Amino acid sequence: QVQLVESGGGLVKPGGSLRLSCAASGFTFSANYMTWIRQAPGKGLEWVSNINIGGDGVYYAASVKGRFTVSRDNAKNSLYLQMNSLRAEDTAVYYCARGIYSMDVWGQGTTVTVSS
Amino acid sequence: DIQMTQSPSTLSASVGDRVTITCRASQSISSWLAWYQQKPGKAPNLLIHKASSLESGVPSRFSGSGSGTEFTLTINSLQPDDFATYYCQQYNSYPRTFGQGTRVEIK
């Protein structure tokens, strides 16, 4: 079935780095734009970044621009989010989702906690 | 950035009620609006795209309307499974932005 599975979350100290992955299955990953969205504990949804099919068109929220990098490997059906210079305010559940307009398929999320 | 404002923030309703949630955009977004439902501990689920197009598999008691800056999500005959938080999201421009959410709780 159509599925997205995130991984790579964890506890990291302020200033540290993490790389999130999102494995896609059940659909043609290489034909779909993809998005990362996050949700801080008890808060609403925040769009983080998205990427086009070829990986050469990307957009970022101002809050992460210059620190986060989105990429994809269509041969591996995978989406990535490299997160550097992490801050406490980056603590959230990170979701990958299919699409860059409305998002019709979401993963279950992976939790990132930034704390000393 | 386009600000999305939902009202109310919390809504108390009973099974069988008709419920309406409003989403206002700080500038025109044409019909580039989506609605999502989220239950605790779960990922959001797309209900409606392009303001009024029901996503495949979503019950017909959900409907969306509006264009420009004012939009509504209506749930006809609220069911026990519908108690959740609802978010609107604009995709007219970057950055994509979400409303703050409307929690529908049992009265």
Side-chain angles (χ1 to χ4, degrees):
Chain A
Q1 72 279 25
V2 174
Q3 194 172 10
L4 295 169
V5 179
E6 302 94 337
S7 61
L11 174 63
V12 61
K13 289 181 167 54
S17 298
L18 273 180
R19 188 195 196 206
L20 305 184
S21 298
C22 170
S25 59
F27 65 98
T28 306
F29 178 75
S30 59
N32 284 270
Y33 294 72
M34 299 294 294
T35 295
W36 287 100
I37 302 104
R38 69 184 180 183
Q39 187 168 34
K43 301 297 185 181
L45 300 168
E46 180 187 14
W47 172 82
V48 173
S49 177
N50 61 30
I51 188 167
N52 69 355
I53 292 170
D56 58 350
V58 297
Y59 289 90
Y60 297 98
S63 57
V64 307
K65 194 168 187 179
R67 301 186 299 122
F68 290 12
T69 303
V70 61
S71 62
R72 64 190 297 161
D73 185 337
N74 288 336
K76 294 183 177 180
N77 292 333
S78 292
L79 175 72
Y80 306 102
L81 187 67
Q82 177 66 44
M83 306 186 297
N84 299 331
S85 303
L86 282 161
R87 306 167 179 166
E89 55 264 35
D90 296 318
T91 294
V93 175
Y94 285 73
Y95 297 101
C96 63
R98 185 174 74 175
I100 61 169
Y101 304 107
S102 57
M103 281 77 79
D104 66 343
V105 179
W106 293 60
Q108 85 289 350
T110 188
T111 300
V112 172
T113 303
V114 184
S115 174
S116 55
Chain B
D1 298 3
I2 297 176
Q3 305 290 334
M4 305 301 292
T5 304
Q6 290 181 231
S7 60
S9 295
T10 306
L11 189 159
S12 296
S14 302
V15 172
D17 284 353
R18 183 174 189 248
V19 164
T20 299
I21 299 168
T22 298
C23 177
R24 289 186 173 87
S26 60
Q27 62 190 75
S28 178
I29 58 169
S30 186
S31 295
W32 304 123
L33 184 99
W35 288 98
Y36 301 88
Q37 177 193 67
Q38 186 179 34
K39 297 180 181 179
K42 301 294 187 182
N45 180 50
L46 177 65
L47 299 174
I48 287 169
H49 63 276
K50 208 175 176 186
S52 60
S53 296
L54 196 67
E55 187 69 6
S56 176
V58 174
S60 59
R61 63 181 179 273
F62 291 90
S63 63
S65 65
S67 66
T69 62
E70 187 150 341
F71 303 86
T72 59
L73 173 70
T74 300
I75 312 172
N76 281 306
S77 189
L78 196 69
Q79 297 301 300
D81 192 48
D82 302 337
F83 292 97
T85 300
Y86 295 84
Y87 293 94
C88 60
Q89 175 235 328
Q90 67 81 18
Y91 49 96
N92 179 78
S93 62
Y94 285 102
R96 307 307 197 213
T97 46
F98 291 86
Q100 81 279 14
T102 295
R103 183 179 169 217
V104 177
E105 61 180 28
I106 300 172
K107 190 171 186 179

